[in-house]
Structures are given as C-alpha cells and as structure tokens.
Amino acid sequence: MNNSRVIFSPNKRSLVKVLHGVTIPLFVWFMLVTPEDVNRIGRWAFHVHSFLGLIFVSFALFWTATYLKRGLVGRPGPKLGPRAKRAHQVLHKTLIWGLFGVALTGFGLGVTSATQLWAGNIVPIGVPLNLPEWNDFIGQVHIYEFYILAVIAIGHAGFHTWRHLRLRDNALRIMAPKALHRFL
C-alpha cells in the first residue's frame, strides 16, 4: 500500500454539511451587512467584506458544479407526501441556481464597472468596460436576486424545521454536525 499520496475524498453528505456550515453564516452576513456599511468603517473592513464575498461565491460555484456533476445529494425522504417531495426538489434546485445567479451578476458588476474590481483583493472581476447604465441595472438585479434568494433560503430552513418537528424524520440532524445533535 502506497501512503505517499493522501487524497481527501469526503462523502457527498459531509461535503454538503461543510458547504452549509460555511455558507449559512456568510449568507446571513451579506443579508445584514452591505458594502456601504463596511466602507464607513474603513478600507480594511471593505477588504474583509470582499474576501468573505470571494469565499461565498467560490462555495456557490463549487456547489453548482457539484450539482451539475452529481445531482442533488439527498432524497426527499420517505415520510414526505408527493407535493412535499416536489417542494423539496424545487427548493434545493432554486437555491443552487439562485446562488449561481448571484455569482453571475456579481461578475457582471465587475465587467460593467468603471474601475477594476477585485474579489477579496485577490481575484480580478473581469475587465472593466465602463458601462455605467448596465452597471446600475446589474447592481439592482444583483440586490433583488440576493434578497429574493434569502427569502427562499428562509423558506428552505422552515421546510426542514417543519420536517424535523412535525414528521420527526431528523431532517436537521442529517445536515447538522454531530456536536449539535443533542440540541436537536
């Protein structure tokens, strides 16, 4: 047995747990904190905010790529009725494609900007084409898209909380780290 090469290959559920564990607090952060908020604190705060955005977008794109390669990770569950099973699938696909859309419009903001924007002060976001009207339009789409997605994410959380409490199918335990199981 050759131990010279170790490959980290988590199962699909572990991967999704990590994605949830990182994405949820970042999602909340971006719901509550805007670039204008951090600009008032200082340039360093804007760089931190931008770096968090880079992490968020990287995870969103990775999540989309994983979905395209493997499909949805979990089944709806045997206790769900036909409509709830359909809702399960629609919620998850909407979140995946919605996160991709947020990343795409963020890229659109970089491309239509008058100056070079950097994600996390590391990655250039396209070549700025200086299209102010398009930048304003894409900026509005980006904002509305994100907050509509936030409402869908809250609905998603509510759906799984309902499953966990009403159907007692351990829907929350399936995605939560083991350290939190005793609270669920």
Side-chain angles (χ1 to χ4, degrees):
M1 183 170 161
N2 184 356
N3 288 333
S4 63
R5 188 172 156 193
V6 177
I7 298 174
F8 177 69
S9 180
N11 65 38
K12 289 193 294 187
R13 176 108 35 227
S14 296
L15 185 62
V16 173
K17 283 183 182 185
V18 169
L19 287 170
H20 268 89
V22 174
T23 305
I24 291 169
L26 288 173
F27 208 104
V28 171
W29 171 264
F30 289 111
M31 283 191 318
L32 301 176
V33 181
T34 66
E36 292 80 22
D37 296 332
V38 293
N39 272 335
R40 283 179 277 192
I41 297 170
R43 189 112 178 108
W44 68 271
F46 181 79
H47 288 304
V48 169
H49 186 75
S50 179
F51 185 73
L52 293 175
L54 176 61
I55 293 169
F56 183 75
V57 167
S58 298
F59 274 51
L61 294 175
F62 180 75
W63 209 324
T64 304
T66 302
Y67 165 71
L68 290 173
K69 183 176 180 183
R70 301 178 178 177
L72 291 177
V73 171
R75 299 179 327 272
K79 293 184 179 182
L80 292 177
R83 286 187 295 176
K85 285 182 181 182
R86 182 73 183 135
H88 177 274
Q89 190 175 70
V90 168
L91 272 173
H92 288 85
K93 288 180 180 178
T94 302
L95 286 169
I96 291 166
W97 286 112
L99 286 169
F100 177 77
V102 168
L104 189 63
T105 55
F107 175 73
L109 283 170
V111 170
T112 58
S113 177
T115 60
Q116 180 68 65
L117 299 179
W118 293 79
N121 213 20
I122 300 169
V123 179
I125 306 174
V127 176
L129 299 176
N130 193 18
L131 302 169
E133 297 85 15
W134 277 100
N135 189 266
D136 290 341
F137 174 73
I138 292 171
Q140 289 300 308
V141 170
H142 185 70
I143 291 167
Y144 283 109
E145 166 183 56
F146 182 80
Y147 286 105
I148 289 169
L149 192 61
V151 170
I152 294 167
I154 291 167
H156 169 79
F159 176 76
H160 286 291
T161 301
W162 168 81
R163 284 180 61 186
H164 185 80
L165 298 174
R166 175 83 174 173
L167 300 179
R168 299 196 183 283
D169 68 354
N170 288 322
L172 298 181
R173 281 195 183 114
I174 291 169
M175 293 312 302
K178 286 191 188 259
L180 298 177
H181 285 197
R182 63 184 170 154
F183 303 110
L184 298 174

